[in-house]
């Protein structure tokens, strides 16, 4: 049997399984999926789990069942392309013929003192649960600081405002305006929502230190009861430790086939890949579509195409609580109830196809 090993049950590898686990899967292919949990987690919805507006079950999707798919639960501690092996924390060693790394990311603290020790996270389902427990336990009038006003920070701040109207919420943004790389109309709409709902957006901030119960913005000392960090990501440690060329934030540089240049049997999809796009579920899924086509060429012993198609992104969708939202689609801005319904519809369709 030829062994295809998928590391991580994220958006990229779920798309690979969706495309491969069909009647066209060659009978000599054995697929092994390795993840710390026996389900797929909807990372784009972790903000709602942390804010307490959805239950744990809402952000879980069952893994597919197939005679040629084996699911292994475990924590990956090392990836060795030279040995074509993956090492788990329980002593298991998994070998492969082809490997797809889709392990996602961890918080990037940018060397800010105290950030790793004194902040909460929404990068994994487990960390999101811990963040929920902390936020749930805060008393009325407590101050929550959210560092980073990207999509995750915006959605968490708005969802938490609806969940806990009694909290003081401060959202720290390094830019002069929210979503500065997109049309000003979009920025103004989101900022207007925060103003209306009493979320304090601190623009042009620079968090220099985090301590127990205190946040340092430039030279200002701000008392806080909890800090949630959403200010950037980097690959998980086993991926950072692979001896290969790295790009920004330690992401792995790939060739046009989404392979490591010196290891053509290793593919990378998602947050760990160095690409000219911001990491997102959409990018991971588009990579996965191309990786499946490359794998089929390899398995059929066919030459790879000289040119791969350019990844074309459709835009993004964001929520502002349960009733309002914002979107940037085909260079057009959509705001309000329609944008929120679009996001809910996309989530419903995703769960329908994958669940």
């Amino acid at each position: 049997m030829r062994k295809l090993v998928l590391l991580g049950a994220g958006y990229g590898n779920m798309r690979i399984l969706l495309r491969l686990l069909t009647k066209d899967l060659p009978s000599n292919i054995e697929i092994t999926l390795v993840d710390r949990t026996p389900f797929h987690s909807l990372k784009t919805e972790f903000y709602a789990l942390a804010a307490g507006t959805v239950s744990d079950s809402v952000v879980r999707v069952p893994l597919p069942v197939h005679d040629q798919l084996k699911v292994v639960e475990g924590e990956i501690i090392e990836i060795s392309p030279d040995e074509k092996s993956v090492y788990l924390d329980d002593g298991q060693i998994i070998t492969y013929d082809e490997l797809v790394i889709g392990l996602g990311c961890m918080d990037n603290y940018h060397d800010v003192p105290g950030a790793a020790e004194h902040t909460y996270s929404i990068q994994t389902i487990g960390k999101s649960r811990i963040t929920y427990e902390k936020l749930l336990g805060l008393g009325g009038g407590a101050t929550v600081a959210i560092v980073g006003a990207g999509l995750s920070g915006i959605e968490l701040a708005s969802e938490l405002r609806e969940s806990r109207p009694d909290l003081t919420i401060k959202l720290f943004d390094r830019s002069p305006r929210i979503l500065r790389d997109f049309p000003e109309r979009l920025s103004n709409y989101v900022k207007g929502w925060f103003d209306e709902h009493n979320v304090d957006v601190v623009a042009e901030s620079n968090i220099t230190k985090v301590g127990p119960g205190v946040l340092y913005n430039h030279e200002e000392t701000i008392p806080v009861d909890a800090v949630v960090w959403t200010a950037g990501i980097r690959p998980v440690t086993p991926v950072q430790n692979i001896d290969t060329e790295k790009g920004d934030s330690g992401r792995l540089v790939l060739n046009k086939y989404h392979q490591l240049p010196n290891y053509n049997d290793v593919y990378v999809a998602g947050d760990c890949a160095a690409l000219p796009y911001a990491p997102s579920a959409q990018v991971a899924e588009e990579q996965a579509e191309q990786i499946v086509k490359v794998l089929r060429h390899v398995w059929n012993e066919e030459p790879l195409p000289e040119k791969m198609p350019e990844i074309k992104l459709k835009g993004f969708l964001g929520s502002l609580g349960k009733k309002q939202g914002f979107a940037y689609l085909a260079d057009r801005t959509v705001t309000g109830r329609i944008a929120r319904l679009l996001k809910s519809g996309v989530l419903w369709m995703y769960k329908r196809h994958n669940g």
Side-chain angles (χ1 to χ4, degrees), residues 4 30 57 71 77 191 237 288 318 321:
L4 170 64
E30 177 185 86
S57 62
V71 177
I77 59 173
K191 179 61 165 57
T237 300

Side-chain angles (χ1 to χ4, degrees), residues 48-118:
L49 176 61
T53 57
V54 302
S55 67
D56 193 288
S57 62
V58 172
V59 300
R60 297 197 310 261
V61 173
L63 299 175
V65 177
H66 191 278
D67 290 341
Q68 290 169 253
L69 173 64
K70 178 184 178 183
V71 177
V72 175
E73 289 183 55
E75 191 76 29
I76 296 159
I77 59 173
E78 183 182 352
I79 302 166
S80 176
D82 289 323
E83 299 174 2
K84 297 171 74 75
S85 299
V86 178
Y87 297 84
L88 306 187
D89 60 349
D90 61 1
Q92 289 188 77
I93 302 174
I94 298 175
T95 59
Y96 62 83
D97 293 294
E98 284 90 23
L99 178 73
V100 181
I101 299 173
L103 287 175
C105 57
M106 56 197 290
D107 289 298
N108 187 349
Y109 298 109
H110 307 286
D111 297 321
V112 174
E117 297 82 4
H118 302 298

Side-chain angles (χ1 to χ4, degrees), residues 159-225:
E159 201 81 5
L160 185 60
R161 167 49 71 226
E162 291 197 350
S163 172
R164 292 292 306 271
D166 57 317
L167 296 177
T168 297
I169 301 174
K170 294 181 177 292
L171 178 61
F172 292 85
D173 188 4
R174 292 196 64 156
S175 303
R177 66 178 174 92
I178 287 177
L179 301 173
R180 68 172 178 181
D181 295 329
F182 296 94
E184 193 167 350
R185 175 172 175 251
L186 195 64
S187 299
N188 292 341
Y189 178 79
V190 175
K191 179 61 165 57
W193 192 97
F194 284 137
D195 290 342
E196 181 183 348
H197 293 83
N198 198 29
V199 174
D200 183 15
V201 178
V202 185
E204 298 183 282
S205 62
N206 181 29
I207 304 305
T208 57
K209 184 178 178 182
V210 185
V214 63
L215 190 68
Y216 297 84
N217 178 33
H218 296 285
E219 302 302 321
E220 182 184 6
T221 301
I222 304 169
V224 292
D225 296 285

Side-chain angles (χ1 to χ4, degrees), residues 1-2 6 20 26 36 81 98 119 132 141 146 155 174-175 179 195 197 238 240 247 254 295 345 348:
M1 296 291 284
R2 188 165 188 149
L6 310 178
L20 287 182
R36 62 165 66 96
E98 284 90 23
T119 68
Y132 161 70
I146 299 171
E155 292 189 309
R174 292 196 64 156
S175 303
L179 301 173
D195 290 342
H197 293 83
Q240 293 183 51
L254 308 177
L295 285 172
W348 181 85

